[in-house]
Amino acid sequence: DAGVTQSPTHLIKTRGQQVTLRCSPKSGHDTVSWYQQALGQGPQFIFQYYEEEERQRGNFPDRFSGHQFPNYSSELNVNALLLGDSALYLCASSLGRQNTEAFFGQGTRLTVV
Amino acid sequence: AQSVTQLDSQVPVFEEAPVELRCNYSSSVSVYLFWYVQYPNQGLQLLLKYLSGSTLVKGINGFEAEFNKSQTSFHLRKPSVHISDTAEYFCAVSVPYSSASKIIFGSGTRLSIRP
């Protein structure tokens, strides 16, 4: 049983560019959440998708957007990249909207230069 | 709103010694409590969780944690650590039965094991 898979694993982008990160949830899970983990810090909640809709959003600007597909996979898009967007982006999947247990992917390391 | 405070940013211990990683949380409602471990260049792995019931929770790799409601704490313990326990540990909370269920993390404690 594959766990949560994220792609790509590493990415280097230039300031002002746009990036798309992808996540496939654990088999049987229908909820996907995205987190940003800056170096030396704990993960910060970006948003959560359930039933193809954004259900809750953290304190992130509109440059951060997402999508969930009918097969429950998800994308995170970041526009107009800033140097401060450099971080590890983590995807977590769970069943329903009750986070009694969330499974995390290995993350995508984004570097903005 | 909820918040999590991990009182130690780094904890150095000798191999086979006991360790305690401290975590306090703030919330006006009941919460679920979690400890996650992050090995270098990897994602997060759930060590253990407290949802309800017994306040002493046992997890993987010999770790356990005790929920103390009066002190709003959820400290993580292991009686004897191994070199392989070297990692970053995150305490976290989420609110049950909310409209969404984001996880709120502490800033992490780096556990370094000395031979």
Side-chain angles (χ1 to χ4, degrees), chain B residues 7-68:
Chain B
L7 299 162
D8 306 295
S9 59
Q10 294 187 64
V11 173
V13 295
F14 287 104
E15 194 173 15
E16 298 183 5
V19 69
E20 178 180 81
L21 305 184
R22 298 180 294 167
C23 172
N24 286 91
Y25 69 93
S26 174
S27 177
S28 59
V29 299
S30 296
V31 293
Y32 293 149
L33 293 152
F34 308 89
W35 275 98
Y36 283 88
V37 61
Q38 186 175 37
Y39 299 103
N41 301 313
Q42 293 192 25
L44 300 174
Q45 180 182 9
L46 181 66
L47 273 179
L48 47 80
K49 61 184 178 182
Y50 173 80
L51 305 181
S52 65
S54 173
T55 58
L56 183 62
V57 180
K58 295 190 182 297
I60 62 171
N61 301 341
F63 284 94
E64 64 180 32
E66 186 156 19
F67 169 56
N68 188 318

Side-chain angles (χ1 to χ4, degrees), chain A residues 27-72:
Chain A
S27 178
H29 284 185
D30 56 6
T31 302
V32 173
S33 302
W34 287 91
Y35 293 81
Q36 180 195 66
Q37 186 180 17
L39 202 60
Q41 298 183 24
Q44 299 291 316
F45 176 77
I46 302 175
F47 42 51
Q48 182 182 82
Y49 278 84
Y50 174 72
E51 293 183 336
E52 302 181 48
E53 289 189 16
E54 183 183 295
R55 297 292 176 167
Q56 191 177 31
R57 189 180 184 88
N59 188 26
F60 280 81
D62 292 344
R63 298 187 297 108
F64 289 77
S65 63
H67 189 77
Q68 185 179 35
F69 299 94
N71 67 352
Y72 307 122

Side-chain angles (χ1 to χ4, degrees), chain A:
Chain A
D1 173 29
V4 180
T5 58
Q6 293 186 242
S7 63
T9 55
H10 296 83
L11 203 53
I12 299 176
K13 289 287 189 178
T14 303
R15 275 179 300 174
Q17 286 189 315
Q18 179 264 346
V19 68
T20 297
L21 311 182
R22 296 176 176 82
C23 172
S24 293
K26 180 178 170 63
S27 178
H29 284 185
D30 56 6
T31 302
V32 173
S33 302
W34 287 91
Y35 293 81
Q36 180 195 66
Q37 186 180 17
L39 202 60
Q41 298 183 24
Q44 299 291 316
F45 176 77
I46 302 175
F47 42 51
Q48 182 182 82
Y49 278 84
Y50 174 72
E51 293 183 336
E52 302 181 48
E53 289 189 16
E54 183 183 295
R55 297 292 176 167
Q56 191 177 31
R57 189 180 184 88
N59 188 26
F60 280 81
D62 292 344
R63 298 187 297 108
F64 289 77
S65 63
H67 189 77
Q68 185 179 35
F69 299 94
N71 67 352
Y72 307 122
S73 67
S74 177
E75 289 182 348
L76 164 65
N77 300 292
V78 187
N79 294 322
L81 284 167
L82 304 173
L83 295 179
D85 295 331
S86 295
L88 181 68
Y89 288 84
L90 295 164
C91 170
S93 77
S94 55
L95 180 60
R97 288 151 61 186
Q98 296 306 313
N99 260 342
T100 56
E101 186 159 0
F103 290 79
F104 283 80
Q106 298 287 79
T108 295
R109 173 72 62 187
L110 172 65
T111 302
V112 182
V113 298

Side-chain angles (χ1 to χ4, degrees), chain B residues 69-113:
Chain B
K69 188 174 182 179
S70 62
Q71 297 187 7
T72 59
S73 68
F74 191 54
H75 301 332
L76 180 70
R77 302 184 183 99
K78 186 170 182 178
S80 176
V81 296
H82 188 266
I83 290 285
S84 60
D85 293 323
T86 297
E88 188 91 18
Y89 291 79
F90 292 96
C91 181
V93 302
S94 71
V95 177
Y97 312 114
S98 62
S99 58
S101 45
K102 66 179 180 181
I103 302 174
I104 300 162
F105 289 88
S107 56
T109 297
R110 183 170 299 278
L111 178 62
S112 58
I113 312 297

